[in-house]
Amino acid sequence: MKLRKVTAASAVVFALALTATACGGDDGGDSGSSSSGGGGEKIKIGIKYDQPGLGLKEPDGSFSGFDVDVATYVAKELGYEPDQIEWVETKSADRENALSRGDVKLIAATYSITDERKEKVDFAGPYLLAHQDLLIKSDSDISEATDLNDKKLCSVTGSTSAQNVKKDFAPKAQLSNRGGYSECLSALQNGQVDALTTDDSILAGYAAQEQYKGKFKLAGLKLSNENYGVGVKKGDTETVDKVNKALEKMVSDGSWQEAVEKNFGPANYKNEDAPKIGEIVQ
């Protein structure tokens, strides 16, 4: 009789273990998150790991930047606390694939909304209107893109920003490509180049770093319009609608402007007003 009791108790324990396993959260599915949000599930969000002021993995393993703040706010509105967010490094060339494969639920990574990209993914937003600009030394007399004629202009290998300046504004500019923006900043600081070009938000993020404070400034030019959006898997209109509502709330309650000032303020970044949802500036 005693043996039967032990066996029955073991069966109950075994059944409970199976139930617990079946009910446990599995964040390894193909949607990047649970469908309902919250409840111990996690949401996977793609960001950049190497862009100060936008998306940066800090030495202690934490994450900072405007894109991170926007994504954290959006996730909160979707039902996820900060500790339920799994940040996934998403390089520019892999953003569309990461969404289509379901590696991430959302992407907030200086992701400009373009017609070509909209054929592959859907976008919420835009949440920031950036412009191609120049970063120069604080005492530089460069004030227009045409001033770059016969001067050295740095950008990252593979970027079209410097090519655009040379084509449209300063045909005599001497292009100098580097492997990364940090290398361009070092070259600018050492006088090896006269200016660095890419999106003003990216430039402001780098210039705001502690070691560069006061050394650089933005020229304040608007050489292009870059509408940053939150990338969502193609066809997931429900998530797009929810993210748009979250972005509207972030602007209305002042959190958006706070995030701008916190991440870009040290570089005196003159940001545009928060763009209207669905309004793309050409």
Side-chain angles (χ1 to χ4, degrees):
M1 188 68 181
K2 184 176 180 180
L3 179 61
R4 287 183 178 179
K5 287 183 179 181
V6 172
T7 303
S10 300
V12 170
V13 171
F14 182 67
L16 288 173
L18 285 177
T19 302
T21 301
C23 294
D26 177 11
D27 60 15
D30 62 0
S31 65
S33 70
S34 71
S35 59
S36 59
E41 298 286 349
K42 288 185 177 292
I43 182 170
K44 296 179 181 180
I45 302 179
I47 58 170
K48 296 291 183 65
Y49 274 22
D50 59 353
Q51 288 186 341
L54 287 155
L56 182 68
K57 185 175 184 179
E58 301 285 0
D60 64 0
S62 63
F63 298 89
S64 66
F66 182 71
D67 284 347
V68 173
D69 288 346
V70 168
T72 300
Y73 188 100
V74 168
K76 176 75 172 179
E77 293 301 304
L78 295 182
Y80 299 91
E81 296 298 327
D83 62 358
Q84 292 177 279
I85 300 173
E86 182 178 337
W87 301 110
V88 179
E89 182 176 20
T90 313
K91 297 184 181 297
S92 296
D94 196 44
R95 287 178 296 204
E96 288 81 19
N97 290 332
L99 286 169
S100 64
R101 290 192 304 259
D103 296 344
V104 294
K105 183 74 170 179
L106 309 172
I107 291 180
T110 59
Y111 204 0
S112 295
I113 302 172
T114 66
D115 290 338
E116 181 181 3
R117 288 170 178 164
K118 285 193 292 185
E119 293 179 0
K120 302 176 181 178
V121 301
D122 285 336
F123 285 98
Y127 63 88
L128 183 71
L129 176 60
H131 307 282
Q132 184 181 343
D133 199 356
L134 305 176
L135 189 69
I136 52 182
K137 281 189 173 182
S138 297
D139 59 356
S140 174
D141 59 359
I142 294 175
S143 60
E144 300 291 342
T146 53
D147 294 336
L148 291 170
N149 280 308
D150 299 319
K151 295 187 182 296
K152 295 180 180 178
L153 175 65
C154 191
S155 192
V156 173
T157 302
S159 170
T160 60
S161 299
Q163 301 283 354
N164 292 340
V165 171
K166 186 175 178 68
K167 175 185 175 184
D168 299 329
F169 303 100
K172 295 182 181 180
Q174 302 170 36
L175 302 187
S176 177
N177 292 320
R178 298 289 200 278
Y181 292 115
S182 295
E183 295 175 40
C184 278
L185 277 170
S186 296
L188 180 59
Q189 185 175 9
N190 297 332
Q192 296 173 317
V193 298
D194 300 292
L196 160 61
T197 187
T198 187
D199 295 358
D200 53 7
S201 58
I202 297 174
L203 295 175
Y206 276 99
Q209 294 180 94
E210 188 65 35
Q211 67 267 37
Y212 296 128
K213 285 182 180 178
K215 296 181 179 179
F216 305 119
K217 65 181 180 181
L218 293 169
L221 308 181
K222 298 179 180 180
L223 305 180
S224 71
N225 295 318
E226 306 296 335
N227 301 269
Y228 291 173
V230 177
V232 179
K233 188 174 183 178
K234 189 70 175 177
D236 189 357
T237 56
E238 180 181 357
T239 297
V240 170
D241 291 341
K242 289 180 179 179
V243 174
N244 280 335
K245 289 179 181 178
L247 293 174
E248 290 175 340
K249 183 178 178 180
M250 186 177 187
V251 172
S252 65
D253 68 14
S255 298
W256 184 89
Q257 187 60 37
E258 288 178 8
V260 168
E261 293 172 0
K262 181 183 78 172
N263 293 293
F264 304 128
N268 295 317
Y269 177 53
K270 302 299 189 295
N271 65 283
E272 299 276 6
D273 292 337
K276 293 182 179 179
I277 299 300
E279 186 174 291
I280 305 301
V281 178
Q282 301 296 337

